[in-house]
Amino acid sequence: MSDSLVLVVGTTSDYISYIYERYPGRALFLTDLTQRVGSVENAPDKASEIVCQLINKTGVLNALHKHLENSNQTLSGIVCYDCEWLSLAAELAEHYDLPFPSAKSVKICRDKFHTKKKWTEYGVRCPKMQLIEKEWQTPELIDQLGLSVVLKPLTGTGSELTFLCHDKYDLIAAFRAIRNGLEGRSESPLYKLNQEDLNQQTIDPSVLAEEFIEGREYSADFIINDNEVDIIRIAKKIRGDYLPFGTTKAYVVPARMPRWLNQNFLVEKLREAAQALGLTRAICMVDFIVSKEEIVFLELSPRIGGDCLPTLILNSCGLDTIGLALDFAENKKTKIPPPLQWTELVAMRLFSLNSGTLLNVNCKELFEDPRVREIFIKHAPGHEITIPPEDYDSWLLGQVIFEPQSNVSIGMQCKDLEAKIIIDVEQYRDQKIDWPFRENCGDAQQAGPPA
């Protein structure tokens, strides 16, 4: 093992196993105790991993200092793949004088209100928004933000506890659902902005209201280094009309952008969005909507895109973005494959619409489809499933990567492939996904051109 290692802060057991096997001797893992409880992956050797309570910053510093001293190891860089531990990574980077986004910038990025406040101050287009603290404020939002309003927590990722509302009754129900959801997540690091917040038993109960922007949604990874911006990938998001609002059914890479949106224009907008948040050197993941010949930014996080995206990108062009993040932490240059090297592929995410115990996922018919490149089922029989809004993790069962036909919409192909999968769940009761605004969300997600 090399004496100089990249510190990987707080990632999940599957990422740890992947990095440890694919990049042996390159990383020292700082792992939360929860990742070793019930983990099916083999843990790294003791010289490669420190397991402790990451919410205890003093304990983390002591454990890390002791490990480095006893093993004669040094740190060559810091990387973090998970939003909830970005603040800890930033503080450790400052402590060890290693390059990483500042703790101040990370806190702004993780706070959806302050992110958009900064963007608004710097002229970066984002949805109009308002901070809501009391239920009585919600009925007025339609007049203030438009006929459709999105409510979401200040922190968190993806579509978790995110609702699309069309009238005052939707707004009140959504506000209550978010407040109830936050109460149940009071100890989750994902909903706390920094290490000081982790020591508190409560989280900010404020709710963010945003105007709803119609258009096509995209996700991108890019590198900013001073004024230079390199786009790693752009993925188009495909929605599922039966899924909760904001949930991505599938990703398509490389995304086909509108003709008016050229590379130089997008690079400039990405630079402005990152610099407004104080980011000068970082790998960033950003979500944005292309609407009426403008780019509207939704969220930005100083980390590489996760979920099924690394596998999708690897299959499409051979680039391993997980390894790219390690290289960037050590200031190593990685070549991003040119456009001609990418094959258009789709990663379709598999969800269970029922709570209960997973009995089986039958993909026999799917394996016979010539479009399919790879099938990954992340949970074995016996896995306990809880559907949204109570939980947004356990219902995601895996992904299918396929090469789409050119003459059929990707949305239709997803439905076709989905019909070839049998998900058998022993239900707790006769319960399917029950979303307060399912009908409205389904209507709204059809807005804009078809996929």
Side-chain angles (χ1 to χ4, degrees):
M1 173 181 289
S2 170
D3 292 330
S4 185
L5 304 171
V6 178
L7 183 66
V8 179
V9 179
T11 196
T12 53
S13 58
D14 56 338
Y15 267 47
I16 292 171
S17 178
Y18 177 84
I19 295 169
Y20 185 66
E21 293 177 8
R22 188 177 179 93
Y23 302 100
R26 283 200 62 185
L28 172 62
F29 301 97
L30 185 59
T31 305
D32 191 64
L33 279 170
T34 58
Q35 291 301 318
R36 287 289 158 240
V37 177
S39 172
V40 297
E41 295 87 3
N42 293 325
D45 60 63
K46 292 184 178 180
S48 302
E49 185 177 45
I50 304 167
V51 180
C52 59
Q53 289 184 320
L54 297 190
I55 62 171
N56 182 351
K57 182 183 174 183
T58 301
V60 168
L61 283 171
N62 289 338
L64 182 54
H65 176 76
K66 182 179 179 181
H67 179 93
L68 294 174
E69 189 176 59
N70 292 342
S71 62
N72 292 318
Q73 296 172 356
T74 59
L75 300 179
S76 57
I78 289 185
V79 66
C80 184
Y81 299 96
D82 302 82
C83 284
E84 55 263 51
W85 303 116
L86 283 169
S87 293
L88 175 61
E91 293 178 23
L92 291 174
E94 290 178 1
H95 182 83
Y96 285 97
D97 195 24
L98 293 167
F100 198 82
S102 69
K104 180 180 179 181
S105 292
V106 167
K107 186 175 182 180
I108 293 172
C109 291
R110 296 209 56 228
D111 186 320
K112 298 173 186 179
F113 172 73
H114 282 97
T115 292
K116 292 179 175 64
K117 185 177 180 180
K118 281 291 183 183
W119 279 342
T120 302
E121 289 175 3
Y122 282 83
V124 176
R125 177 71 169 100
C126 63
K128 293 183 293 184
M129 49 87 187
Q130 187 170 325
L131 197 61
I132 304 299
E133 297 178 340
K134 302 294 183 181
E135 184 178 308
W136 62 262
Q137 296 174 279
T138 57
E140 303 173 359
L141 293 172
I142 297 293
D143 294 330
Q144 296 166 349
L145 298 177
L147 295 177
S148 297
V149 176
V150 177
L151 292 192
K152 60 178 66 172
L154 294 185
T155 52
T157 59
S159 62
E160 193 157 334
L161 295 176
T162 299
F163 301 85
L164 178 63
C165 310
H166 300 287
D167 56 42
K168 64 179 182 180
Y169 304 105
D170 284 355
L171 288 163
I172 292 172
F175 182 87
R176 292 174 179 174
I178 293 171
R179 281 291 184 86
N180 290 336
L182 291 176
E183 287 181 8
R185 294 161 172 80
S186 61
E187 296 184 2
S188 171
L190 184 60
Y191 287 87
K192 298 183 179 182
L193 296 176
N194 53 31
Q195 289 302 111
E196 286 71 25
D197 290 345
L198 288 171
N199 297 323
Q200 301 178 15
Q201 294 301 310
T202 60
I203 56 180
D204 194 328
S206 301
V207 174
L208 184 64
E210 298 178 357
E211 66 169 322
F212 172 67
I213 305 294
E214 288 194 29
R216 289 184 172 178
E217 187 172 348
Y218 297 86
S219 171
D221 289 335
F222 67 96
I223 294 172
I224 182 167
N225 199 348
D226 293 328
N227 285 320
E228 184 179 347
V229 170
D230 292 313
I231 298 175
I232 300 169
R233 59 87 190 173
I234 304 173
K236 180 182 175 183
K237 294 186 176 185
I238 306 295
R239 299 300 188 191
D241 54 11
Y242 58 88
L243 296 174
F245 172 73
T247 303
T248 300
K249 176 60 185 175
Y251 292 94
V252 186
V253 297
R256 299 177 185 177
M257 307 299 292
R259 291 181 180 179
W260 63 266
L261 183 51
N262 62 59
Q263 184 92 348
N264 291 336
F265 181 78
L266 180 57
V267 163
E268 181 59 30
K269 293 301 178 182
L270 292 174
R271 181 187 296 112
E272 292 173 0
Q275 291 180 342
L277 305 180
L279 299 171
T280 56
R281 184 188 181 278
I283 291 182
C284 301
M285 180 196 70
V286 64
D287 293 324
F288 61 93
I289 290 176
V290 175
S291 173
K292 300 177 182 177
E293 298 196 359
E294 68 173 351
I295 297 175
V296 184
F297 287 100
L298 300 178
E299 296 182 16
L300 187 152
S301 183
R303 63 172 178 85
I304 205 75
D307 192 36
C308 58
L309 285 165
T311 304
L312 176 61
I313 296 164
L314 186 63
N315 276 271
S316 176
C317 68
L319 175 65
D320 182 9
T321 55
I322 295 175
L324 182 148
L326 295 174
D327 290 339
F328 184 76
E330 293 185 308
N331 206 28
K332 295 179 180 178
K333 191 71 174 177
T334 300
K335 185 178 180 181
I336 299 170
L340 291 177
Q341 194 171 318
W342 293 69
T343 299
E344 184 182 42
L345 294 178
V346 180
M348 180 180 72
R349 306 166 79 208
L350 304 178
F351 297 95
S352 170
L353 302 187
N354 302 296
S355 288
T357 303
L358 180 65
L359 299 179
N360 186 42
V361 180
N362 188 336
C363 299
K364 181 180 178 181
E365 191 176 351
L366 196 64
F367 277 111
E368 299 170 354
D369 193 295
R371 292 168 294 181
V372 174
R373 290 280 196 92
E374 181 178 310
I375 302 171
F376 173 68
I377 305 299
K378 64 187 295 186
H379 296 297
H383 168 67
E384 296 298 326
I385 301 168
T386 304
I387 57 177
E390 284 77 17
D391 182 63
Y392 288 77
D393 293 326
S394 63
W395 75 317
L396 177 59
L397 303 182
Q399 68 210 30
V400 177
I401 294 177
F402 68 93
E403 186 170 354
Q405 297 170 323
S406 59
N407 58 341
V408 183
S409 77
I410 291 175
M412 290 298 296
Q413 292 183 70
C414 285
K415 290 181 180 179
D416 177 51
L417 292 172
E418 220 174 14
K420 299 180 178 183
I421 305 169
I422 300 173
I423 299 174
D424 190 7
V425 176
E426 183 181 21
Q427 298 179 49
Y428 301 134
R429 53 188 178 277
D430 187 18
Q431 180 195 31
K432 291 187 177 181
I433 190 163
D434 183 17
W435 201 250
F437 316 111
R438 181 171 51 177
E439 292 183 4
N440 288 341
C441 291
D443 294 340
Q445 287 172 356
Q446 298 306 311

